[in-house]
Amino acid sequence: MNVIDLDLIDFAEAYAIQERLAADVFAGQAPETLLLLEHPPVYTIGSGGREENILDHGVSAVRINRGGDVTFHGPGQLVGYPIIDLGRRSRDLHRYLRFLEEMLILAAADYGVNACRVAGRTGVWTGRGKIASIGVGVRRWITMHGFALNVAPDLAGFARINPCGMANCPITSLSLENGAFVPISDVKARIGARFETMLNAWLPLRRDRDAGAYGRQY
Amino acid sequence: MATEITMPKLSDTMTEGRLVSWKKSVGERVERGDIIAEVETDKANMELEAFASGVLLETRVKAGDLVPVGTVIGIIGEAGEAVAVPPAGAAVREAEAAKEKPIKEIPAEKEKLPPEEPKEAVSPPVQPVEAAEAVEIEKASPLVRRLAREQGIDLKLVKGSGPEGRILQEDLERFIKERESGTGTREQEKAKVQQPPVGGTQPLSRMRAAIARTVSEAWRTIPHFAVTDAIEMGEAERMRRELKEAGTPLTINDLIVKAAAMALAKFPLVNASFAGDGILLHGEVNIGIAVGLEEGLLVPVIKGCQNLSLRETAEKSRALIALAQSGRISETDIAGGTFSISNLGMFGVEEFMAVILPPQGAILAVGAIIDQPAVKDGRIVPIRMMKATLSADHRLLDGLYAARFMAELKRVLENPVVMLV
């Protein structure tokens, strides 16, 4: 599996890279890949999200093919786009979401931050609020999009949306929780180093893609 | 031949999904492999591919709707093909979808269908007949039809609980169960059905398959060890009686859950997950309770046990167990456990060892409370003894730590009044 650091990259550009990688991974022409990056300020809305949850029209908003409602991306937030072939890893979307959460909870724990899941609300939370968002899109069992961990972002960007479609959803960050500035490069390195091992433990790789397009049901 | 598009099961824990949007409209040409719709479960979206080429004849679910897994959400077929099981008013839409072909052709299609029971001499209007006949052949998904075939079941005998009387997999499973237990069975049907021969293979139910996967993973990846302790339950039983008389009904198991929650708070490694390069200590104490069912096992989770009083613990536990037994439990109620308890005491089991539920780190197996002689102050007296066995992940903790946890559990249960403060 590859881990690629794209640094600060425009949303549209990263999206194009994701699309190409997803097609290549499906075709067996590229290894599974984790893209780690930061975006310039942008709002993204999941397919089911509602535009009215964006209260600020000064920043661009993009509608994309992932689950979830609206979220904000900006510098200081570590975004991860794992392009993973779930067709070879159990075909279980919920388990994949739980894996992403677990991975983020461990990342927070590295900085002494006690984060947890909240049942029914995918994402990672602390007592103060949401520290990481998750939204995944899957095409032919290849994953796109992924997670956004607030390391040290300007939280003002969130103030002008209803994150995840919830009014007054409090947002927090690693730096805020930890009390000291957490460098994003440090978090990137830790997640990059841990991701594949954890993925293999949670969603072990099988030799072949299952027959049938949607797994067990067919 | 029309092909049904159903809400796919994208996770073992997925029971329903939301149709986010249709990517094709009714009447539009669809090639196998085309993305026809997008569905959402939790915060993951899946682009749905067509399994067949043809024309999108009908969409039965609209964008934004949440429907159970397996629900037919649309139909792909040839232009002009009669669509099965039209919902109320669908005949009109169907006719619209097929308007490039003359309506007259529909009766021709009808003649191809297998003959049904004799109809009344006077035919009702054409389209309702069409619908009634179609129901006979299309009221179950291909999967259910295949399962029925494998089990030798005539689907006409199965009562469907899905939309428009569709036969769902659950209906089939219930029918099989009833047949096996001898209730609601027709003798003739029973005679027709052959049990798989001894030594033959019986297909796994969904729950069985899920359990098999979970315990295999647990047994393969978690180095289990077990520590058993004997706990005197006389005081706990007395307190339970008193509380019950005072109007707070609770079970021995509720006391064990509460005691475990208190012990877990003092021994966080028992409430933890091993995660490759680290140990995750869970902030919450979420205790799963194994509930045995005829077809397997469910483990509903009592969330936030560290903040629950004994009474609240009992109330939550009662509600969750009832949900599990009725089969109406939601996936959030069985997710997020950090520790589990399996109690076979009510079945007379003295002691046993349970398999840890990943990604949890430990599980407590509780046996029956039995009368036992003990020597107290030089005299032999009867005491009420219960054995409990902790299975723990050795990567997280060692025998000494497990022993201390068990000692704390024992202390709380033997001095149950501490659970009230």
Side-chain angles (χ1 to χ4, degrees), chain B residues 359-386:
Chain B
Q360 298 172 23
I363 184 168
L364 188 71
V366 179
I369 302 177
I370 48 177
D371 287 317
Q372 206 172 289
V375 179
K376 277 192 179 170
D377 305 326
R379 290 174 44 225
I380 295 178
V381 292
I383 55 165
R384 302 279 290 158
M385 203 58 123
M386 178 186 85

Side-chain angles (χ1 to χ4, degrees), chain A residues 47 65-68 91-94 98 102 105-106 122 136 138-141 194 213-214 216-218, chain B residues 6 8 10-13 20 33 38 40-49 51 217 275 277 280 331:
Chain A
S47 327
N65 58 337
R66 63 156 170 80
R91 296 179 183 244
D92 191 323
L93 278 189
H94 289 179
R98 301 294 88 79
E102 191 71 22
I105 288 170
L106 280 182
T122 298
V136 170
V138 180
R139 176 183 298 159
R140 301 188 171 99
W141 285 109
R194 174 186 290 151
Y214 292 102
R216 284 175 295 279
Q217 201 199 356
Y218 288 92
Chain B
T6 56
L10 303 175
S11 169
D12 276 342
T13 51
V20 176
E38 194 173 348
E40 180 182 36
T41 172
D42 212 332
K43 286 204 176 167
N45 282 21
M46 172 68 134
E47 292 178 353
L48 202 57
E49 283 170 65
F51 295 120
E217 185 198 338
D277 63 347
L280 177 61
E331 61 194 65

Side-chain angles (χ1 to χ4, degrees), chain B residues 21-317:
Chain B
S21 61
W22 283 102
K23 302 291 181 197
K24 301 274 178 182
S25 35
V26 170
E28 199 173 334
R29 182 78 204 160
V30 175
E31 297 302 329
R32 188 185 160 87
D34 280 359
I35 306 296
I36 42 175
E38 194 173 348
V39 298
E40 180 182 36
T41 172
D42 212 332
K43 286 204 176 167
N45 282 21
M46 172 68 134
E47 292 178 353
L48 202 57
E49 283 170 65
F51 295 120
S53 301
V55 170
L56 183 59
L57 292 179
E58 189 188 331
T59 58
R60 293 199 183 158
V61 172
K62 54 181 197 304
D65 282 358
L66 196 62
V67 297
V69 165
T71 303
V72 176
I73 57 177
I75 304 279
I76 294 175
E78 289 311 315
E81 186 168 356
V83 177
V85 206
V92 179
R93 269 185 278 137
E94 173 195 321
E96 275 170 7
K99 64 183 158 206
E100 55 267 62
K101 286 212 175 186
I103 289 290
K104 255 184 283 175
E105 278 191 18
I106 291 177
E109 286 279 333
K110 179 184 146 194
E111 280 159 21
K112 289 188 209 146
L113 300 175
E116 296 295 331
E117 284 96 0
K119 290 274 175 312
E120 292 164 17
V122 181
S123 291
V126 172
Q127 278 169 346
V129 174
E130 207 44 49
E133 300 223 297
V135 166
E136 289 301 314
I137 50 165
E138 289 284 1
K139 64 184 176 184
S141 72
L143 172 74
V144 168
R145 284 203 293 266
R146 196 193 71 214
L147 289 175
R149 214 166 36 242
E150 286 170 356
Q151 299 268 334
I153 292 167
D154 181 355
L155 278 178
K156 288 204 195 77
L157 300 171
V158 182
K159 193 170 160 8
S161 67
E164 276 97 37
R166 281 185 66 76
I167 299 169
L168 309 177
Q169 196 176 346
E170 288 82 346
D171 298 326
L172 194 63
E173 281 161 6
R174 193 178 324 113
F175 182 83
I176 293 168
K177 216 171 83 192
E178 279 171 1
R179 192 183 63 189
E180 280 165 3
S181 62
T183 56
T185 320
R186 281 164 47 168
E187 280 311 303
Q188 137 209 19
E189 178 59 17
K190 205 175 185 178
K192 242 198 298 183
V193 171
Q194 306 234 314
Q195 286 293 326
V198 175
T201 309
Q202 203 169 357
L204 290 178
S205 72
R206 231 164 11 187
M207 188 181 278
R208 201 68 253 153
I211 294 170
R213 226 175 359 259
T214 308
V215 294
S216 303
E217 185 198 338
W219 204 245
R220 195 179 60 244
T221 60
I222 303 177
H224 285 66
F225 76 102
V227 172
T228 303
D229 211 341
I231 302 171
E232 206 187 320
M233 293 294 284
E235 277 305 313
E237 284 186 315
R238 254 188 301 284
M239 189 175 90
R240 180 192 163 222
R241 263 194 309 276
E242 282 166 19
L243 287 171
K244 198 177 165 190
E245 281 157 17
T248 305
L250 44 90
T251 64
I252 288 293
N253 201 59
D254 297 332
L255 291 170
I256 296 166
V257 172
K258 174 69 182 167
M262 292 174 69
L264 288 169
K266 290 194 180 169
F267 292 88
L269 283 173
V270 189
N271 193 57
S273 296
F274 184 80
D277 63 347
I279 287 172
L280 177 61
L281 301 175
H282 300 288
E284 298 273 298
V285 177
N286 300 334
I287 299 183
I289 305 173
V291 178
L293 305 168
E294 281 310 315
E295 60 272 32
L297 170 76
L298 277 175
V299 189
V301 176
I302 306 176
K303 304 267 164 60
C305 285
Q306 75 281 8
N307 298 322
L308 296 180
S309 68
L310 186 53
R311 186 200 195 108
E312 290 164 336
T313 305
E315 281 165 0
K316 285 205 169 191
S317 170

